[in-house]
């Protein structure tokens, strides 16, 4: 039996193995809305250019509308024998309207058709992802405002380093997410050119209007080279790169939720809706949602690497290898969308134990740097000398099992005579945090100013 798509070139149909490796309908059926949008724009252009009749154009539009309704209602029967979403829709259109369906593919190839569908899908996903990022940013900004003066330890090497405010800590992720949103926006700009009209690889001899279809589909312009139009997948690579970077940021925050919600720190109280219990240990509350956000980053990064490997050796123009471009992209975009939603829910409901944070900030001599700075600023010591004296004072405090601000002044003056009683003004965690009023610093007033900045930024972005 001759395959209806290949016609007479192949006398026998593909065997089961060929059908299994060749069919993409199992995953590319999610492109149905984009495929129908592209076909409608193409049909309208063909009518406008006098390539097909108005009657055929009307029949095609009505048939495509019915197909979209059938798919949305779950009544459409997808066929593996028809390989992909394009042929499934075309076959059903033929059943519905007969001969005019065969004219829809005039001046078009599946090569430019799938390239158009895929760009439209990724563009829609980028818009959705950017909106989700803004929603998470809003939650973090709100929480940062509420905790602009909640003191916690700032860490380097996961060791207490200097006291900071929890609001400042949260705003670090807001900064990251804003850059993520910018990357999605930039990727969208470069993506937003239309492959439609490139046909198989060389363009078409029909008098089509590529500007008309580009405008109808919301593209800025048609792509300028037909071979590039059907074979480029760098738009998907760029989208995956932005997705992987964003997922990496979420994974860092997820890791902190895992660490700081444990009994060793006790900074966070996990919301019940985003944690689970143990089947054997009744006292456990496991941060499963955070752990899964952390883990999904692996598959997202893998999707980026996978597509780069697929594309790295392909000659121009189209090769069937490119059928492998979609599953990884779909999965990565789905995974990031789910991770953003989960993180938004977790952070919105996360309980914060300010007392535990403050106690941790007071441990580990986290104001030692403030002491060294004071010795430079007030006692006139060179920083290296001040660093050395501060180290001696930390050792003394360890020996006496006390905090730096609990050391007797006389004991400190034995190590450095220039130390005065004014030194105690920098040794508390409150004074340490309050002193860092520089732009981008952790002082509560600096945090509140940055909160206002991000509130205005989000309001403008969503307007």
């Amino acid at each position: 039996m001759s395959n209806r798509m290949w016609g007479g070139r192949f006398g026998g149909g593909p065997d089961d193995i060929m059908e299994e490796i060749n069919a993409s309908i199992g995953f590319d059926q999610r492109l149905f809305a984009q495929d129908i949008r592209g076909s409608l724009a193409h049909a309208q252009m063909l009518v406008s250019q006098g390539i097909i009749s108005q009657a055929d154009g009307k029949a095609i539009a009505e048939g495509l509308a019915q197909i979209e309704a059938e798919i949305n209602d779950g009544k459409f029967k997808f066929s593996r024998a028809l390989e992909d979403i394009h042929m499934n829709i075309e076959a059903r259109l033929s059943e519905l309207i007969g001969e005019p369906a065969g004219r829809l593919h005039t001046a078009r190839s599946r090569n430019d058709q799938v390239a158009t569908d895929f760009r439209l899908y990724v563009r829609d996903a980028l818009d959705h992802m950017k909106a989700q990022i803004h929603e998470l940013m809003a939650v973090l900004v709100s929480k940062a405002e509420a905790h602009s003066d909640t003191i916690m330890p700032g860490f380097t090497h996961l060791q207490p380093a200097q006291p900071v405010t929890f609001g400042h800590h949260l705003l670090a992720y807001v900064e990251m997410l804003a850059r993520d949103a910018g990357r999605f926006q930039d990727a969208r700009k470069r993506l937003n050119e239309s492959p439609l009209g490139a046909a198989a690889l060389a363009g078409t001899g029909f008098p089509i209007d590529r500007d008309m279809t580009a405008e109808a589909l919301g593209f800025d312009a048609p792509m300028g080279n037909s071979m590039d139009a059907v074979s480029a997948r760098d738009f998907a690579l760029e989208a995956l790169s932005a997705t992987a970077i964003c997922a990496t940021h979420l994974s860092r925050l997820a890791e902190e939720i895992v660490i700081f919600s444990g009994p060793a720190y006790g900074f966070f109280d996990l919301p019940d809706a985003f944690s689970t219990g143990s089947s054997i240990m009744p006292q456990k509350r496991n941060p499963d949602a955070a752990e899964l956000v952390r883990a999904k980053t692996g598959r997202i990064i893998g999707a980026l690497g996978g597509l780069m490997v697929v594309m790295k050796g392909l000659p121009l123009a189209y090769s069937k290898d490119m059928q492998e471009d979609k599953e990884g992209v779909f999965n990565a975009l789905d995974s990031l969308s789910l991770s953003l939603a989960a993180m938004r829910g977790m952070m919105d409901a996360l309980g914060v134990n300010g007392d535990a944070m403050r106690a941790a900030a007071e441990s580990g001599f986290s104001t030692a740097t403030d002491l060294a700075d004071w010795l430079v600023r007030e006692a006139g010591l060179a920083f290296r000398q001040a660093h050395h004296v501060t180290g001696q004072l930390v050792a003394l405090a360890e020996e006496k099992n006390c905090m730096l601000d609990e050391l007797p002044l006389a004991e400190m003056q034995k190590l450095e005579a220039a130390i005065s009683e004014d030194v105690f003004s920098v040794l508390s965690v409150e004074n340490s945090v309050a002193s860092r009023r520089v732009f981008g610093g952790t002082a509560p007033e600096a945090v509140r100013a940055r909160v206002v900045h991000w509130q205005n930024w989000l309001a403008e972005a969503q307007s």
Side-chain angles (χ1 to χ4, degrees):
M1 176 179 174
S2 176
N3 182 285
R4 66 164 60 182
M5 181 170 53
W6 294 332
R9 173 65 180 85
F10 294 89
D15 61 20
D16 292 343
I17 294 174
M18 183 58 190
E19 181 176 309
E20 184 68 25
I21 197 171
N22 197 47
S24 59
I25 189 61
F27 54 84
D28 70 13
Q29 61 182 262
R30 70 163 67 191
L31 296 175
F32 77 90
Q34 289 78 19
D35 194 73
I36 289 172
R37 282 166 59 192
S39 291
L40 284 170
H42 184 66
Q44 289 164 2
M45 180 275 297
L46 292 177
V47 171
S48 176
Q49 294 298 103
I51 299 171
I52 66 173
S53 68
Q54 290 189 355
D56 285 347
K58 183 174 184 293
I60 288 169
E62 290 174 350
L64 289 173
Q66 181 173 335
I67 291 169
E68 186 166 26
E70 288 176 358
I71 296 175
N72 284 325
D73 293 341
K75 297 177 181 178
F76 189 92
K77 294 182 180 179
F78 294 100
S79 168
R80 284 177 58 82
L82 293 170
E83 292 189 14
D84 57 32
I85 186 60
H86 324 295
M87 295 309 299
N88 269 262
I89 289 176
E90 185 173 324
R92 178 58 178 150
L93 185 64
S94 182
E95 291 174 356
L96 291 173
I97 67 172
E99 184 180 354
R103 299 192 176 95
L104 172 60
H105 211 53
T106 306
R108 185 176 72 168
S109 164
R110 277 198 302 173
N111 292 356
D112 63 336
Q113 186 177 0
V114 67
T116 302
D117 293 357
F118 198 22
R119 279 180 186 262
L120 289 172
Y121 183 89
V122 173
R123 188 180 71 185
D124 291 344
L126 294 179
D127 290 343
H128 176 70
M129 222 68 69
K130 192 173 80 166
Q132 282 193 287
I133 290 172
H134 289 168
E135 290 170 358
L136 175 56
M137 288 174 66
V139 168
L140 294 176
V141 169
S142 177
K143 217 170 194 71
E145 183 177 31
H147 292 280
S148 60
D149 56 1
T150 300
I151 294 174
M152 67 174 290
F155 296 88
T156 61
H157 308 280
L158 203 55
Q159 303 293 319
Q162 293 178 272
V164 296
T165 56
F166 184 46
H168 190 58
H169 189 101
L170 290 171
L171 289 181
Y173 286 101
V174 173
E175 301 276 347
M176 295 179 214
L177 289 166
R179 293 193 296 272
D180 289 327
R183 273 182 281 270
F184 283 117
Q185 185 172 338
D186 290 345
R188 190 193 196 282
K189 288 178 183 177
R190 274 179 288 279
L191 169 155
N192 206 37
E193 293 182 337
S194 175
L196 195 57
L201 78 160
T204 177
F206 288 94
I208 62 173
D209 185 344
R210 294 190 63 206
D211 289 303
M212 179 180 176
T213 51
E215 183 178 356
L217 294 171
F219 289 113
D220 295 330
M223 294 184 72
N225 182 285
S226 60
M227 296 179 75
D228 179 49
V230 298
S231 65
R233 294 297 183 270
D234 54 350
F235 70 91
L237 288 170
E238 189 170 6
L240 283 177
S241 179
T243 300
I245 295 170
C246 183
T248 301
H249 290 154
L250 296 185
S251 184
R252 296 181 72 180
L253 181 54
E255 171 77 353
E256 292 188 341
I257 292 173
V258 171
I259 293 172
F260 295 143
S261 64
Y265 288 94
F267 292 176
F268 302 147
D269 295 321
L270 285 174
D272 290 341
F274 293 94
S275 55
T276 65
S278 166
S279 63
I280 190 172
M281 295 168 284
Q283 82 282 9
K284 293 287 293 300
R285 177 178 282 187
N286 299 324
D288 285 9
E291 290 172 348
L292 288 167
V293 168
R294 186 176 60 185
K296 285 185 183 297
T297 303
R299 70 165 67 195
I300 293 170
I301 293 171
L304 172 60
L307 184 54
M308 293 184 87
V309 171
V310 167
M311 297 302 299
K312 71 174 182 60
L314 295 187
L316 292 176
Y318 181 83
S319 297
K320 191 69 169 181
D321 308 52
M322 291 184 198
Q323 184 167 292
E324 293 297 309
D325 60 359
K326 296 173 194 65
E327 283 184 281
V329 172
F330 293 160
N331 190 275
L333 294 173
D334 288 348
S335 295
L336 182 62
S337 181
L338 180 58
S339 295
L340 284 165
M343 189 59 73
R344 178 192 176 193
M346 276 189 288
M347 292 308 300
D348 191 34
L350 191 72
V352 178
N353 188 341
D355 291 339
M357 285 183 170
R358 180 189 168 82
E362 290 179 329
S363 67
F365 310 105
S366 64
T367 58
T369 302
D370 298 271
L371 173 56
D373 288 346
W374 184 91
L375 288 169
V376 171
R377 188 174 59 249
E378 303 297 333
L381 275 63
F383 183 79
R384 286 303 171 197
Q385 183 184 2
H387 188 282
H388 178 71
V389 171
T390 300
Q392 291 179 306
L393 291 170
V394 167
L396 179 62
E398 284 180 327
E399 179 185 331
K400 291 182 172 295
N401 194 28
C402 69
M403 306 299 294
L404 282 172
D405 59 354
E406 294 172 337
L407 281 173
L409 178 60
E411 294 285 336
M412 288 192 273
Q413 289 173 334
K414 287 180 183 178
L415 292 172
E416 175 50 59
I419 295 176
S420 68
E421 189 171 358
D422 183 59
V423 74
F424 292 102
S425 67
V426 301
L427 294 182
S428 71
V429 290
E430 288 89 358
N431 288 339
S432 172
V433 165
S435 70
R436 283 155 167 59
R437 295 184 295 273
V438 65
F439 176 78
T442 192
E445 64 186 80
V447 171
R448 285 189 284 269
R450 201 63 182 158
V451 163
V452 171
H453 163 81
W454 286 117
Q455 288 170 338
N456 292 337
W457 187 92
L458 286 166
E460 184 177 344
Q462 294 165 6
S463 61

